[in-house]
Amino acid sequence: MTRAVRIGVQIQPQHAPDYGLIRDAVLRAEDAGVDIVFNWDHFYPLSGDPEGAHFECWTMLGAWAEQTERVELGALVTGGGYRNPDLLADMARTVDHISDGRLILGIGAGWFEKDYDEYGYEFGTAGTRLALLKENMARISARLKKLNPQPTREIPILIGGGGEKKTLRLVAEYADMWHSFADLDSLAHKNKVLADHCAAVGTDQSKIERSVQWPGAQEAQAFVDAGVSLFTIGVSGPKYDLSEVELAIRWRDEVNPEQVSGLA
């Protein structure tokens, strides 16, 4: 194993009518020992009551940057079609500074049509959303180089998705982290596709951290053997039950030779 295993928690900002419930969940997650605290970039719940309570992603990340001390934080993932990419780069740089260098910039092409329709964004097709993501990544990269002051570190870019022709090409070109939704059987194939894209653009594929949703302690080692080092457990409001997160942390500490710092 070339990377220490890390555990993330996705505090899903749904079904929490009181923001204090989310604030408390973030506090409990950091105290429990997670390495990364994610939210997601949607405007409506993805499960349960579709009109249930929900909060916005990036304003929340600014609050988390002030609230936390150790964990990395970010969106899993930012919707690529919701924000001007130059503005998003500036937002990321600002949260990077607020957090003293703990932000991960997670981004994807977007997929939840209701978000687009209700907030007046053009949903388009999977192809047009991926084309927009490609354009956005170039603009984000360029804007980050122009900002004054500069980010405190080279902000890690996480790209989520598994499209072999377009998404994995963008991972090879821009990402430090790749979040895959592939099962174990298809992960090896997608890893090979990503390695081919990396070779084509001159990227060292071993420097891209592989990330998946937590499959449970019995299955996790097989994913580690396939190259995964980041596992994330999603929890929903209003209770934000962290019992599975705590199990994953105990598993991580058995697998890792030493406890990791939480920084990429």
Side-chain angles (χ1 to χ4, degrees), residues 99-133:
S99 66
D100 195 23
R102 293 182 287 119
L103 178 75
I104 295 168
L105 176 52
I107 191 165
W111 63 272
F112 190 45
E113 187 170 2
K114 182 175 181 178
D115 288 336
Y116 291 79
D117 292 345
E118 292 284 346
Y119 276 64
Y121 297 104
E122 181 179 353
F123 185 60
T125 65
T128 62
R129 293 193 299 277
L130 282 166
L132 181 61
L133 179 61

mmCIF file of all heavy atoms in Angstrom, residues 99-133:
data_model
loop_
_atom_site.group_PDB
_atom_site.id
_atom_site.type_symbol
_atom_site.label_atom_id
_atom_site.label_comp_id
_atom_site.label_asym_id
_atom_site.label_seq_id
_atom_site.Cartn_x
_atom_site.Cartn_y
_atom_site.Cartn_z
ATOM 1 N N SER A 99 -9.525 28.364 6.018
ATOM 2 C CA SER A 99 -9.217 27.085 6.663
ATOM 3 C C SER A 99 -7.732 26.868 6.901
ATOM 4 O O SER A 99 -7.339 25.818 7.415
ATOM 5 C CB SER A 99 -9.752 25.934 5.802
ATOM 6 O OG SER A 99 -9.051 25.870 4.564
ATOM 7 N N ASP A 100 -6.899 27.819 6.501
ATOM 8 C CA ASP A 100 -5.446 27.682 6.623
ATOM 9 C C ASP A 100 -4.951 26.474 5.837
ATOM 10 O O ASP A 100 -4.154 25.682 6.315
ATOM 11 C CB ASP A 100 -5.015 27.590 8.087
ATOM 12 C CG ASP A 100 -3.516 27.825 8.272
ATOM 13 O OD1 ASP A 100 -2.897 28.459 7.396
ATOM 14 O OD2 ASP A 100 -2.969 27.363 9.302
ATOM 15 N N GLY A 101 -5.481 26.338 4.607
ATOM 16 C CA GLY A 101 -4.957 25.339 3.687
ATOM 17 C C GLY A 101 -5.535 23.955 3.844
ATOM 18 O O GLY A 101 -4.819 22.960 3.677
ATOM 19 N N ARG A 102 -6.857 23.857 4.087
ATOM 20 C CA ARG A 102 -7.467 22.531 4.276
ATOM 21 C C ARG A 102 -8.585 22.236 3.276
ATOM 22 O O ARG A 102 -9.285 21.246 3.423
ATOM 23 C CB ARG A 102 -7.991 22.396 5.713
ATOM 24 C CG ARG A 102 -6.880 22.374 6.756
ATOM 25 C CD ARG A 102 -7.413 22.196 8.179
ATOM 26 N NE ARG A 102 -8.071 23.397 8.663
ATOM 27 C CZ ARG A 102 -9.349 23.478 9.022
ATOM 28 N NH1 ARG A 102 -10.146 22.425 8.908
ATOM 29 N NH2 ARG A 102 -9.854 24.612 9.463
ATOM 30 N N LEU A 103 -8.745 23.076 2.267
ATOM 31 C CA LEU A 103 -9.821 22.877 1.301
ATOM 32 C C LEU A 103 -9.425 21.886 0.218
ATOM 33 O O LEU A 103 -8.302 21.908 -0.286
ATOM 34 C CB LEU A 103 -10.208 24.196 0.629
ATOM 35 C CG LEU A 103 -11.304 24.038 -0.443
ATOM 36 C CD1 LEU A 103 -12.666 23.832 0.203
ATOM 37 C CD2 LEU A 103 -11.332 25.212 -1.399
ATOM 38 N N ILE A 104 -10.369 21.026 -0.148
ATOM 39 C CA ILE A 104 -10.312 20.208 -1.362
ATOM 40 C C ILE A 104 -11.388 20.749 -2.306
ATOM 41 O O ILE A 104 -12.543 20.904 -1.909
ATOM 42 C CB ILE A 104 -10.585 18.726 -1.053
ATOM 43 C CG1 ILE A 104 -9.474 18.138 -0.174
ATOM 44 C CG2 ILE A 104 -10.731 17.921 -2.344
ATOM 45 C CD1 ILE A 104 -9.812 16.784 0.408
ATOM 46 N N LEU A 105 -11.016 21.049 -3.534
ATOM 47 C CA LEU A 105 -11.981 21.543 -4.517
ATOM 48 C C LEU A 105 -12.533 20.361 -5.295
ATOM 49 O O LEU A 105 -11.930 19.877 -6.255
ATOM 50 C CB LEU A 105 -11.332 22.565 -5.453
ATOM 51 C CG LEU A 105 -12.208 23.101 -6.593
ATOM 52 C CD1 LEU A 105 -13.551 23.619 -6.091
ATOM 53 C CD2 LEU A 105 -11.469 24.197 -7.362
ATOM 54 N N GLY A 106 -13.687 19.858 -4.843
ATOM 55 C CA GLY A 106 -14.350 18.758 -5.529
ATOM 56 C C GLY A 106 -15.327 19.288 -6.561
ATOM 57 O O GLY A 106 -16.081 20.223 -6.290
ATOM 58 N N ILE A 107 -15.321 18.693 -7.750
ATOM 59 C CA ILE A 107 -16.182 19.178 -8.817
ATOM 60 C C ILE A 107 -16.568 18.020 -9.741
ATOM 61 O O ILE A 107 -15.828 17.047 -9.888
ATOM 62 C CB ILE A 107 -15.484 20.306 -9.624
ATOM 63 C CG1 ILE A 107 -16.466 21.012 -10.562
ATOM 64 C CG2 ILE A 107 -14.250 19.800 -10.349
ATOM 65 C CD1 ILE A 107 -15.938 22.334 -11.104
ATOM 66 N N GLY A 108 -17.757 18.131 -10.322
ATOM 67 C CA GLY A 108 -18.234 17.155 -11.289
ATOM 68 C C GLY A 108 -19.105 17.839 -12.324
ATOM 69 O O GLY A 108 -19.327 19.055 -12.275
ATOM 70 N N ALA A 109 -19.622 17.061 -13.250
ATOM 71 C CA ALA A 109 -20.395 17.631 -14.353
ATOM 72 C C ALA A 109 -21.823 17.987 -13.959
ATOM 73 O O ALA A 109 -22.478 18.762 -14.655
ATOM 74 C CB ALA A 109 -20.423 16.654 -15.527
ATOM 75 N N GLY A 110 -22.329 17.437 -12.843
ATOM 76 C CA GLY A 110 -23.710 17.676 -12.445
ATOM 77 C C GLY A 110 -24.656 16.668 -13.077
ATOM 78 O O GLY A 110 -24.401 16.179 -14.183
ATOM 79 N N TRP A 111 -25.759 16.363 -12.360
ATOM 80 C CA TRP A 111 -26.665 15.331 -12.876
ATOM 81 C C TRP A 111 -28.110 15.469 -12.396
ATOM 82 O O TRP A 111 -29.014 14.930 -13.013
ATOM 83 C CB TRP A 111 -26.171 13.946 -12.449
ATOM 84 C CG TRP A 111 -26.177 13.781 -10.938
ATOM 85 C CD1 TRP A 111 -25.173 14.114 -10.086
ATOM 86 C CD2 TRP A 111 -27.238 13.266 -10.126
ATOM 87 N NE1 TRP A 111 -25.534 13.838 -8.780
ATOM 88 C CE2 TRP A 111 -26.797 13.312 -8.776
ATOM 89 C CE3 TRP A 111 -28.510 12.763 -10.407
ATOM 90 C CZ2 TRP A 111 -27.590 12.887 -7.712
ATOM 91 C CZ3 TRP A 111 -29.296 12.344 -9.339
ATOM 92 C CH2 TRP A 111 -28.831 12.397 -8.013
ATOM 93 N N PHE A 112 -28.358 16.230 -11.322
ATOM 94 C CA PHE A 112 -29.688 16.251 -10.708
ATOM 95 C C PHE A 112 -30.514 17.354 -11.356
ATOM 96 O O PHE A 112 -30.339 18.539 -11.060
ATOM 97 C CB PHE A 112 -29.547 16.470 -9.204
ATOM 98 C CG PHE A 112 -30.822 16.267 -8.421
ATOM 99 C CD1 PHE A 112 -31.642 15.177 -8.649
ATOM 100 C CD2 PHE A 112 -31.198 17.169 -7.441
ATOM 101 C CE1 PHE A 112 -32.803 14.982 -7.920
ATOM 102 C CE2 PHE A 112 -32.351 16.994 -6.706
ATOM 103 C CZ PHE A 112 -33.160 15.889 -6.947
ATOM 104 N N GLU A 113 -31.424 16.970 -12.257
ATOM 105 C CA GLU A 113 -32.100 17.933 -13.113
ATOM 106 C C GLU A 113 -32.911 18.952 -12.326
ATOM 107 O O GLU A 113 -33.017 20.120 -12.731
ATOM 108 C CB GLU A 113 -32.996 17.201 -14.108
ATOM 109 C CG GLU A 113 -33.608 18.108 -15.161
ATOM 110 C CD GLU A 113 -34.293 17.349 -16.270
ATOM 111 O OE1 GLU A 113 -34.336 16.103 -16.217
ATOM 112 O OE2 GLU A 113 -34.781 18.004 -17.219
ATOM 113 N N LYS A 114 -33.478 18.565 -11.210
ATOM 114 C CA LYS A 114 -34.293 19.493 -10.448
ATOM 115 C C LYS A 114 -33.494 20.711 -9.995
ATOM 116 O O LYS A 114 -34.003 21.842 -9.994
ATOM 117 C CB LYS A 114 -34.896 18.780 -9.226
ATOM 118 C CG LYS A 114 -35.814 19.672 -8.394
ATOM 119 C CD LYS A 114 -36.482 18.902 -7.267
ATOM 120 C CE LYS A 114 -37.404 19.813 -6.462
ATOM 121 N NZ LYS A 114 -38.108 19.085 -5.381
ATOM 122 N N ASP A 115 -32.237 20.509 -9.611
ATOM 123 C CA ASP A 115 -31.392 21.640 -9.225
ATOM 124 C C ASP A 115 -31.347 22.684 -10.337
ATOM 125 O O ASP A 115 -31.476 23.891 -10.104
ATOM 126 C CB ASP A 115 -29.963 21.170 -8.931
ATOM 127 C CG ASP A 115 -29.839 20.385 -7.643
ATOM 128 O OD1 ASP A 115 -30.674 20.552 -6.740
ATOM 129 O OD2 ASP A 115 -28.874 19.604 -7.529
ATOM 130 N N TYR A 116 -31.133 22.220 -11.554
ATOM 131 C CA TYR A 116 -31.005 23.112 -12.704
ATOM 132 C C TYR A 116 -32.329 23.803 -13.014
ATOM 133 O O TYR A 116 -32.380 25.034 -13.194
ATOM 134 C CB TYR A 116 -30.544 22.319 -13.926
ATOM 135 C CG TYR A 116 -29.125 21.816 -13.856
ATOM 136 C CD1 TYR A 116 -28.800 20.675 -13.122
ATOM 137 C CD2 TYR A 116 -28.103 22.465 -14.544
ATOM 138 C CE1 TYR A 116 -27.498 20.207 -13.072
ATOM 139 C CE2 TYR A 116 -26.799 22.003 -14.510
ATOM 140 C CZ TYR A 116 -26.509 20.875 -13.771
ATOM 141 O OH TYR A 116 -25.214 20.407 -13.719
ATOM 142 N N ASP A 117 -33.384 23.026 -13.072
ATOM 143 C CA ASP A 117 -34.672 23.580 -13.470
ATOM 144 C C ASP A 117 -35.180 24.606 -12.462
ATOM 145 O O ASP A 117 -35.648 25.695 -12.846
ATOM 146 C CB ASP A 117 -35.698 22.455 -13.615
ATOM 147 C CG ASP A 117 -35.405 21.538 -14.784
ATOM 148 O OD1 ASP A 117 -34.588 21.919 -15.644
ATOM 149 O OD2 ASP A 117 -35.987 20.433 -14.837
ATOM 150 N N GLU A 118 -35.098 24.296 -11.186
ATOM 151 C CA GLU A 118 -35.650 25.171 -10.163
ATOM 152 C C GLU A 118 -34.849 26.457 -9.989
ATOM 153 O O GLU A 118 -35.403 27.494 -9.616
ATOM 154 C CB GLU A 118 -35.735 24.424 -8.829
ATOM 155 C CG GLU A 118 -36.756 23.296 -8.805
ATOM 156 C CD GLU A 118 -38.182 23.810 -8.701
ATOM 157 O OE1 GLU A 118 -38.367 25.006 -8.390
ATOM 158 O OE2 GLU A 118 -39.111 23.013 -8.937
ATOM 159 N N TYR A 119 -33.544 26.400 -10.255
ATOM 160 C CA TYR A 119 -32.697 27.574 -10.052
ATOM 161 C C TYR A 119 -32.330 28.282 -11.347
ATOM 162 O O TYR A 119 -31.515 29.209 -11.355
ATOM 163 C CB TYR A 119 -31.438 27.175 -9.271
ATOM 164 C CG TYR A 119 -31.662 27.148 -7.773
ATOM 165 C CD1 TYR A 119 -32.547 26.246 -7.202
ATOM 166 C CD2 TYR A 119 -31.014 28.041 -6.922
ATOM 167 C CE1 TYR A 119 -32.774 26.211 -5.842
ATOM 168 C CE2 TYR A 119 -31.231 28.022 -5.558
ATOM 169 C CZ TYR A 119 -32.121 27.100 -5.023
ATOM 170 O OH TYR A 119 -32.335 27.081 -3.670
ATOM 171 N N GLY A 120 -32.916 27.845 -12.462
ATOM 172 C CA GLY A 120 -32.762 28.578 -13.709
ATOM 173 C C GLY A 120 -31.490 28.314 -14.475
ATOM 174 O O GLY A 120 -31.090 29.141 -15.301
ATOM 175 N N TYR A 121 -30.841 27.158 -14.232
ATOM 176 C CA TYR A 121 -29.668 26.785 -15.011
ATOM 177 C C TYR A 121 -30.088 25.858 -16.154
ATOM 178 O O TYR A 121 -31.026 25.086 -16.018
ATOM 179 C CB TYR A 121 -28.632 26.067 -14.134
ATOM 180 C CG TYR A 121 -28.077 26.916 -13.018
ATOM 181 C CD1 TYR A 121 -28.491 26.721 -11.701
ATOM 182 C CD2 TYR A 121 -27.142 27.915 -13.277
ATOM 183 C CE1 TYR A 121 -27.983 27.491 -10.671
ATOM 184 C CE2 TYR A 121 -26.627 28.689 -12.244
ATOM 185 C CZ TYR A 121 -27.052 28.475 -10.946
ATOM 186 O OH TYR A 121 -26.551 29.240 -9.936
ATOM 187 N N GLU A 122 -29.334 25.907 -17.229
ATOM 188 C CA GLU A 122 -29.629 25.025 -18.359
ATOM 189 C C GLU A 122 -29.102 23.626 -18.063
ATOM 190 O O GLU A 122 -27.898 23.443 -17.823
ATOM 191 C CB GLU A 122 -28.986 25.562 -19.640
ATOM 192 C CG GLU A 122 -29.278 24.709 -20.865
ATOM 193 C CD GLU A 122 -28.657 25.264 -22.128
ATOM 194 O OE1 GLU A 122 -28.109 26.384 -22.076
ATOM 195 O OE2 GLU A 122 -28.710 24.572 -23.170
ATOM 196 N N PHE A 123 -29.989 22.638 -18.087
ATOM 197 C CA PHE A 123 -29.585 21.271 -17.774
ATOM 198 C C PHE A 123 -28.840 20.631 -18.940
ATOM 199 O O PHE A 123 -27.818 19.962 -18.751
ATOM 200 C CB PHE A 123 -30.814 20.439 -17.406
ATOM 201 C CG PHE A 123 -30.500 19.046 -16.961
ATOM 202 C CD1 PHE A 123 -29.695 18.818 -15.848
ATOM 203 C CD2 PHE A 123 -31.009 17.957 -17.652
ATOM 204 C CE1 PHE A 123 -29.404 17.528 -15.430
ATOM 205 C CE2 PHE A 123 -30.722 16.655 -17.238
ATOM 206 C CZ PHE A 123 -29.924 16.442 -16.122
ATOM 207 N N GLY A 124 -29.329 20.841 -20.142
ATOM 208 C CA GLY A 124 -28.652 20.304 -21.315
ATOM 209 C C GLY A 124 -28.641 18.789 -21.339
ATOM 210 O O GLY A 124 -29.574 18.120 -20.897
ATOM 211 N N THR A 125 -27.547 18.233 -21.827
ATOM 212 C CA THR A 125 -27.362 16.791 -21.927
ATOM 213 C C THR A 125 -26.087 16.416 -21.176
ATOM 214 O O THR A 125 -25.280 17.276 -20.799
ATOM 215 C CB THR A 125 -27.224 16.349 -23.379
ATOM 216 O OG1 THR A 125 -26.007 16.909 -23.928
ATOM 217 C CG2 THR A 125 -28.408 16.822 -24.216
ATOM 218 N N ALA A 126 -25.888 15.116 -20.995
ATOM 219 C CA ALA A 126 -24.641 14.676 -20.362
ATOM 220 C C ALA A 126 -23.439 15.183 -21.157
ATOM 221 O O ALA A 126 -22.430 15.609 -20.577
ATOM 222 C CB ALA A 126 -24.621 13.152 -20.270
ATOM 223 N N GLY A 127 -23.549 15.184 -22.483
ATOM 224 C CA GLY A 127 -22.455 15.660 -23.317
ATOM 225 C C GLY A 127 -22.172 17.136 -23.143
ATOM 226 O O GLY A 127 -21.007 17.549 -23.042
ATOM 227 N N THR A 128 -23.229 17.967 -23.104
ATOM 228 C CA THR A 128 -23.000 19.403 -22.937
ATOM 229 C C THR A 128 -22.492 19.725 -21.537
ATOM 230 O O THR A 128 -21.675 20.641 -21.364
ATOM 231 C CB THR A 128 -24.279 20.207 -23.233
ATOM 232 O OG1 THR A 128 -25.320 19.830 -22.307
ATOM 233 C CG2 THR A 128 -24.753 19.978 -24.651
ATOM 234 N N ARG A 129 -22.948 18.969 -20.535
ATOM 235 C CA ARG A 129 -22.458 19.218 -19.171
ATOM 236 C C ARG A 129 -20.985 18.845 -19.042
ATOM 237 O O ARG A 129 -20.214 19.535 -18.368
ATOM 238 C CB ARG A 129 -23.309 18.469 -18.151
ATOM 239 C CG ARG A 129 -24.741 18.999 -18.052
ATOM 240 C CD ARG A 129 -25.475 18.472 -16.832
ATOM 241 N NE ARG A 129 -25.611 17.024 -16.821
ATOM 242 C CZ ARG A 129 -26.565 16.357 -17.465
ATOM 243 N NH1 ARG A 129 -27.455 17.013 -18.213
ATOM 244 N NH2 ARG A 129 -26.643 15.032 -17.385
ATOM 245 N N LEU A 130 -20.575 17.772 -19.700
ATOM 246 C CA LEU A 130 -19.159 17.395 -19.677
ATOM 247 C C LEU A 130 -18.302 18.389 -20.469
ATOM 248 O O LEU A 130 -17.173 18.693 -20.069
ATOM 249 C CB LEU A 130 -18.984 15.985 -20.233
ATOM 250 C CG LEU A 130 -19.342 14.864 -19.260
ATOM 251 C CD1 LEU A 130 -19.476 13.540 -19.996
ATOM 252 C CD2 LEU A 130 -18.309 14.755 -18.148
ATOM 253 N N ALA A 131 -18.835 18.888 -21.559
ATOM 254 C CA ALA A 131 -18.102 19.904 -22.322
ATOM 255 C C ALA A 131 -17.917 21.165 -21.483
ATOM 256 O O ALA A 131 -16.850 21.799 -21.510
ATOM 257 C CB ALA A 131 -18.844 20.225 -23.619
ATOM 258 N N LEU A 132 -18.961 21.536 -20.730
ATOM 259 C CA LEU A 132 -18.859 22.694 -19.853
ATOM 260 C C LEU A 132 -17.845 22.450 -18.746
ATOM 261 O O LEU A 132 -17.064 23.352 -18.393
ATOM 262 C CB LEU A 132 -20.229 23.020 -19.257
ATOM 263 C CG LEU A 132 -20.287 24.239 -18.331
ATOM 264 C CD1 LEU A 132 -19.879 25.512 -19.082
ATOM 265 C CD2 LEU A 132 -21.693 24.383 -17.743
ATOM 266 N N LEU A 133 -17.835 21.237 -18.188
ATOM 267 C CA LEU A 133 -16.853 20.926 -17.151
ATOM 268 C C LEU A 133 -15.434 21.054 -17.693
ATOM 269 O O LEU A 133 -14.547 21.588 -17.012
ATOM 270 C CB LEU A 133 -17.094 19.512 -16.612
ATOM 271 C CG LEU A 133 -16.116 19.037 -15.533
ATOM 272 C CD1 LEU A 133 -16.187 19.927 -14.293
ATOM 273 C CD2 LEU A 133 -16.396 17.582 -15.160
#
